[in-house]
Structure formats: C-alpha cells, structure tokens
Amino acid sequence: MAKRFKVVIVTPDKTAYEGEAVSATLPGAEGYLGVWADHAALVSAVVPGLVTLKLNDAGSESFFAVGAGFVEISDNVVNLMTETCEHSGDIDAERARHALDRARERLTGMDATLDRERARLSKARAEARIRAAERGK
C-alpha cells in the first residue's frame, strides 16, 4: 500500500480541497511536478493548469483546474495556494470552450491595446478547465 500525504488547495475564497493522496501532479512554472510521500521540501510557482490527485492504490483520481499561485511541500503536506480552483465535476465544459475561443480570437487580433499576458492567462485557464472536465468524466 502506497504511503499517503495531505493535500490542501486553497483560494482567496475557500478551501477547495483538503484530503489525502498517494500522488499529485501540479502545473509548476518550469513544467509539471510529480509529488509522492516523503517528497523533498519545495516551494514553487504554479501556473494555470491541471492538478491530478491519485487518491488511493486502486487508481481513483480527482482533477482540478487551477489558476496561478504557488505550492509549498514539506513534512508530507502539499499546500497549494491559487487564484482559482474548480473540481472537474463543477466545470461547464461548453462555457470553457467559449472562453478558449474568445481568448484565441483576442490573441490573434492586432489590437495594440490588448493586454497579451492577461489574454494568454485566460487561454491557459480555459484549456485547464477543458482538460479537467474531460478527465473527470
């Protein structure tokens, strides 16, 4: 039986998840991070993306779309602080597809006043929401 660790995902508004997992995959600034029990202490930036939690040895998984933030890992506790977090079961996939289309249109336009970083982050959040919704089916 795989060793478990505690995972806490918080946003400014709520605790989105608090429970145990046997592994976690998080969208770090330099690429996805894999976390298992007894992971080395780490603090890292998190970018909009998909969080995958393997909940037990049977392979049960839970998926979350998260925004930017940071993660702290120490003493078998993963604390993820993020702007936004949605569980896969709470995501309206159609709405996320529309948001992705809007972000793509804005990024391909020639509007000099466009905040390209904001549009890029909107696109990344929409992509994460779609992936979480699809994985959570």
Side-chain angles (χ1 to χ4, degrees), residues 103-123:
R104 285 179 175 157
E105 286 173 17
R106 288 182 15 222
L107 285 168
T108 58
M110 296 298 199
D111 184 355
T113 63
L114 174 68
D115 182 345
R116 295 195 69 72
E117 181 62 14
R118 185 173 172 199
R120 188 189 66 73
L121 287 172
S122 292
K123 180 178 178 266

Side-chain angles (χ1 to χ4, degrees), residues 2-65:
K3 188 173 178 182
R4 305 177 122 194
F5 56 92
K6 184 175 181 177
V7 178
V8 181
I9 304 173
V10 296
T11 70
D13 301 324
K14 65 182 178 183
T15 299
Y17 177 83
E18 185 169 358
E20 292 188 333
V22 296
S23 72
T25 305
L26 312 167
E30 301 296 322
Y32 274 83
L33 304 167
V35 180
W36 291 267
D38 300 323
H39 195 283
L42 172 74
V43 174
S44 177
V46 171
V47 297
L50 178 68
V51 170
T52 302
L53 301 179
K54 183 176 175 189
L55 303 175
N56 55 43
D57 290 335
S60 177
E61 293 180 309
S62 196
F63 305 97
F64 299 87

Side-chain angles (χ1 to χ4, degrees), residues 91-102 126 129-130 133 137:
I91 295 171
D92 180 340
E94 190 61 31
R95 184 173 171 223
R97 284 185 194 84
H98 288 298
L100 179 58
D101 291 342
R102 282 191 309 273
R129 293 178 74 229
I130 292 167
K137 288 183 179 180

Side-chain angles (χ1 to χ4, degrees), residues 8-10 26-29 33 42-48 66-73 78-83:
V8 181
I9 304 173
V10 296
L26 312 167
L33 304 167
L42 172 74
V43 174
S44 177
V46 171
V47 297
V66 299
F70 69 96
V71 63
E72 174 193 33
I73 303 167
V78 173
N79 286 305
L80 175 58
M81 284 72 53
T82 179
E83 295 171 332

